[in-house]
Amino acid sequence: GSTVPERSGVALSFCRRPVKSREEQLIADWLFIQGVEYKYEAPYPIKTESKEHSQYQPDFYYPQIKLYHEHFALNAQGIPPIHFKNYAEGVDWKRTLHQQNQTELFETTSHMISTGEGLPALQHALESRGVVINPDPDRPSKGRPPLEIDVLARIIRNLMQHAKGNHLGPSELSARAQTIDPIRGPLIISLYSKVLELWQAELTETNTVDFDDMINLAIENAESGKYRSPYKLVIVDEYQDASAARARLLRAITVLPDTFLTAVGDDAQSINRFAGADMSVMKNFVKFFGSGTELKLTMTFRCPVEICNVSNYFVQQNPIQITKVVTTTSSVSGKAIQCYAAESMDDLSELVKTTLTKIEAKLKTVWDLPRKPSIMLLGRYRSDEPHNMAELRRICGPTIDLTFTTVHSSKGTEADYVLILNVIQGRKGFPSEIADDPILQCAMPEPEKYPFAEERRLFYVALTRARRGVFIYTLEGRSSAFLSELAGQGYISIVGKDGAAVSIEPCPLCRDGIRKRKTSQYGDFYSCSNYPSCKWKENIRGASETVSRRPPHRIHHQNWH
């Protein structure tokens, strides 16, 4: 994970400790470079541990001036992301705590960081209280290098690709970098400018062009009239993956009289944004091309009605999606979506084997089509592929076509049954919590504001690959936010390996994890499933008394048809 540079005594050192977000990492890096003494998540000096709260640990503390610093994930209106459960209440609790104890609190927000106001405000807060800023970008630190060479090379190549596609020069990129990543941004863009200069010189010397320049040259020739397209009808598929540059090329060659453009795309499909895809090109199609007729394809021939309705509801939660109601011609009836929660990864593997055994037995008795039935195992990552694929193929036998693929690779494919694996919380969960390097935003289309927008479309893709049924697998205590949302709305029920509904009592502190019973050398206790990010604990006697007074919240919804 990310690491925090800390100061200990008078000597600055680099301590490999996880931080909660790239924004906190940005603040920690800035403090280290400025030579500011601070502590990260040091316990608050006043006891706050109770049945409702664990011991409070402010994000940053500046012992020299006794100032506490919280970085809140709040937008310009002071509102947290929609999937941050009870986050606003936690913000109010922290503010009230400081007021009651007369401890000084300084705040930054995600909005302040994104607009470039956060770090200057922090610097003013520190200097106005007597802290001497001593910037030194070359201050030595322990641990791994801030940016590995191969990672830096990929960043520069991606910057070049997107900057060329969006006609952004180094000066404009540098201005954007000041806002997006004020510490590293200008340095990386400066290096990018030198690489770009050498890259272009190499192309000129060898009388060659790269792919991005080729597209731009084609646009220039078409828009200037040097090239006149002979084609009267241009048809484009997968239009949701169009970039601004490719849309310009299409417009340039179809602007001629008696020339027609037909574009087919699905904005609910995952888009390849890091290859330049720009959702606004599809959303604003008529405005971009000047005129046109929009036809909504609202009939699917693949999915059963339950999958159709659940997936349609799910993807339409993002207001940027084109509003439409999808219906189906499928005659498959019965329960089409089932979700299982396992206690461990080993248990999850056994659940998958059990499911395949049941499907294989059922197909022996009911399958009457001339083709082989198919089962597709889907993972968010290639590493999700089951380690026992050979055993799973033996279970299915030669009469069933069993495959594994990633959700990205499954676009355009289908199977009779789909098993979506490892739909859990975590860095490599679903939705994925791996954050891309923020510097790439300098050259990319405007990011979507809706949380996990691209991951939501990707989960829609996973759900809609099935002709007959979808089986979803998660872990107790690490259930995906997507599954919690669908269960909370009554669209799915989450059951254990015995088929009984999973009972979940939310963690009283973070409200995101669940209470899990654990055993240590000192006896049994309850703690949050999100430990160590959430450090709530309760001894078994207190937990038992709490449960006896307050029945656990149960996620147990009627099946939705």
Side-chain angles (χ1 to χ4, degrees):
S2 302
T3 52
V4 180
E6 284 196 316
R7 184 167 182 162
S8 177
V10 296
L12 287 167
S13 62
F14 194 73
C15 177
R16 293 178 61 84
R17 294 185 55 195
V19 293
K20 297 175 181 175
S21 67
R22 281 193 177 275
E23 292 174 0
E24 283 194 3
Q25 183 184 10
L26 177 66
I27 294 170
D29 288 345
W30 184 87
L31 292 169
F32 177 75
I33 290 173
Q34 306 304 323
V36 176
E37 180 183 356
Y38 74 96
K39 295 181 179 179
Y40 180 70
E41 289 195 334
Y44 192 60
I46 299 169
K47 183 180 178 181
T48 63
E49 189 172 1
S50 67
K51 293 179 180 179
E52 291 76 27
H53 298 283
S54 63
Q55 180 58 38
Y56 174 42
Q57 295 176 284
D59 293 332
F60 300 93
Y61 175 61
Y62 308 104
Q64 180 183 349
I65 55 176
K66 297 182 179 180
L67 176 67
Y68 294 91
H69 174 190
E70 282 286 358
H71 179 68
F72 294 128
L74 303 175
N75 63 14
Q77 290 73 42
I79 300 173
I82 190 172
H83 62 289
F84 279 25
K85 301 176 184 177
N86 302 107
Y87 189 87
E89 290 84 347
V91 171
D92 292 339
W93 178 78
K94 292 174 183 177
R95 289 170 175 168
T96 301
L97 187 66
H98 284 283
Q99 290 175 355
Q100 291 174 342
N101 295 291
Q102 298 183 341
T103 48
E104 192 172 9
L105 174 65
F106 172 76
E107 299 179 15
T108 52
T109 65
S110 295
H111 173 71
M112 294 173 67
I113 294 296
S114 65
T115 59
E117 301 171 4
L119 296 181
L122 175 57
Q123 181 171 346
H124 175 74
L126 296 172
E127 290 183 325
S128 65
R129 292 168 173 81
V131 174
V132 177
I133 301 297
N134 180 29
D136 181 6
D138 297 321
R139 180 173 284 113
S141 62
K142 298 179 181 179
R144 68 181 185 183
L147 200 60
E148 290 82 357
I149 296 298
D150 59 335
V151 175
L152 179 59
R154 287 196 297 270
I155 289 173
I156 290 178
R157 181 65 190 102
N158 285 332
L159 276 173
M160 186 182 300
Q161 177 183 0
H162 295 297
K164 286 187 174 186
N166 292 297
H167 292 270
L168 298 173
S171 59
E172 189 167 358
L173 291 178
S174 182
R176 293 186 176 195
Q178 290 284 355
T179 297
I180 294 173
D181 196 348
I183 294 177
R184 303 181 315 143
L187 296 174
I188 292 178
I189 298 303
S190 175
L191 181 59
Y192 160 77
S193 300
K194 296 176 182 177
V195 173
L196 177 64
E197 183 178 348
L198 293 171
W199 178 274
Q200 294 302 126
E202 176 78 10
L203 294 177
T204 300
E205 183 178 342
T206 57
N207 195 29
T208 56
V209 295
D210 60 22
F211 184 79
D212 306 300
D213 284 340
M214 184 170 62
I215 295 292
N216 289 331
L217 288 170
I219 292 172
E220 291 174 12
N221 280 277
E223 288 183 339
S224 67
K226 292 181 180 179
Y227 171 80
R228 292 180 63 86
S229 170
Y231 304 107
K232 295 299 181 182
L233 175 61
V234 178
I235 302 175
V236 180
D237 196 13
E238 303 290 350
Y239 189 70
Q240 73 274 1
D241 284 331
S243 65
R246 294 170 196 184
R248 278 185 61 194
L249 179 59
L250 286 172
R251 183 174 60 185
I253 64 176
T254 58
V255 73
L256 301 174
D258 299 322
T259 304
F260 301 92
L261 168 66
T262 298
V264 181
D266 184 359
D267 71 307
Q269 298 281 327
S270 62
I271 64 171
N272 198 355
R273 186 166 173 267
F274 276 83
D278 187 344
M279 180 66 77
S280 66
V281 171
M282 183 169 184
K283 183 80 172 179
N284 304 317
F285 180 88
V286 174
K287 181 179 179 181
F288 186 84
F289 286 94
S291 63
T293 301
E294 182 183 276
L295 300 176
K296 295 181 179 179
L297 305 179
T298 58
M299 182 71 70
T300 178
F301 303 93
R302 176 190 302 148
C303 301
V305 63
E306 183 183 7
I307 295 176
C308 180
N309 289 333
V310 172
S311 61
N312 188 65
Y313 154 81
F314 182 75
V315 79
Q316 290 286 317
Q317 295 309 296
N318 184 351
I320 198 176
Q321 305 295 153
I322 297 173
T323 303
K324 57 182 179 291
V325 177
V326 179
T327 58
T328 181
T329 62
S330 172
S331 60
V332 175
S333 60
K335 191 172 183 179
I337 301 179
Q338 299 181 55
C339 183
Y340 294 101
E343 294 184 356
S344 66
M345 293 302 293
D346 288 340
D347 288 340
L348 190 150
S349 179
E350 289 299 315
L351 278 172
V352 171
K353 288 167 58 176
T354 300
T355 301
L356 291 178
T357 301
K358 291 180 178 179
I359 293 176
E360 190 272 339
K362 178 181 178 180
L363 289 175
K364 280 182 178 179
T365 62
V366 302
W367 192 258
D368 58 0
L369 297 178
R371 61 174 177 81
K372 289 172 61 175
S374 57
I375 301 175
M376 183 188 300
L377 307 182
L378 285 182
R380 175 61 182 81
Y381 294 95
R382 294 189 184 280
S383 57
D384 291 323
E385 180 174 5
H387 60 85
N388 59 339
M389 278 298 294
E391 180 183 7
L392 300 182
R393 288 194 171 94
R394 284 196 297 271
I395 291 173
C396 292
T399 60
I400 297 175
D401 183 15
L402 177 68
T403 58
F404 170 84
T405 187
T406 64
V407 184
H408 274 113
S409 299
S410 74
K411 291 174 63 176
T413 65
E414 58 186 37
D416 293 298
Y417 295 96
V418 169
L419 280 61
I420 311 176
L421 311 176
N422 301 339
V423 186
I424 59 177
Q425 289 182 357
R427 187 171 182 270
K428 295 190 73 173
F430 201 172
S432 171
E433 296 177 7
I434 297 177
D436 297 296
D437 197 291
I439 193 63
L440 295 177
Q441 298 293 344
C442 295
M444 292 178 62
E446 189 71 20
E448 295 179 70
K449 297 179 180 179
Y450 198 81
F452 294 120
E454 174 59 12
E455 292 291 304
R456 181 172 289 263
R457 286 189 290 267
L458 196 61
F459 192 61
Y460 171 86
V461 170
L463 287 174
T464 55
R465 297 308 92 196
R467 302 188 193 100
R468 294 174 176 270
V470 171
F471 297 85
I472 305 171
Y473 299 88
T474 187
L475 291 176
E476 292 184 21
R478 290 186 62 192
S479 179
S480 163
F482 289 165
L483 299 184
S484 298
E485 175 186 337
L486 289 173
Q489 294 297 320
Y491 282 98
I492 64 172
S493 59
I494 304 176
V495 301
K497 60 184 178 182
D498 58 357
V502 173
S503 299
I504 298 176
E505 185 175 359
C507 167
L509 176 60
C510 70
R511 309 297 297 179
D512 191 28
I514 64 171
R515 295 160 60 101
K516 296 284 289 184
R517 183 168 182 147
K518 298 184 179 180
T519 301
S520 72
Q521 59 179 326
Y522 303 106
D524 292 349
F525 65 98
Y526 282 94
S527 71
C528 179
S529 61
N530 284 339
Y531 181 85
S533 60
C534 177
K535 297 180 174 61
W536 175 84
K537 289 183 180 180
E538 192 172 282
N539 65 49
I540 202 67
R541 177 178 297 177
S544 299
E545 293 172 353
T546 301
V547 171
S548 67
R549 290 194 302 268
R550 183 182 62 192
H553 169 71
R554 296 182 183 273
I555 294 183
H556 188 185
H557 304 281
Q558 295 295 321
N559 295 332
W560 191 89
H561 296 283

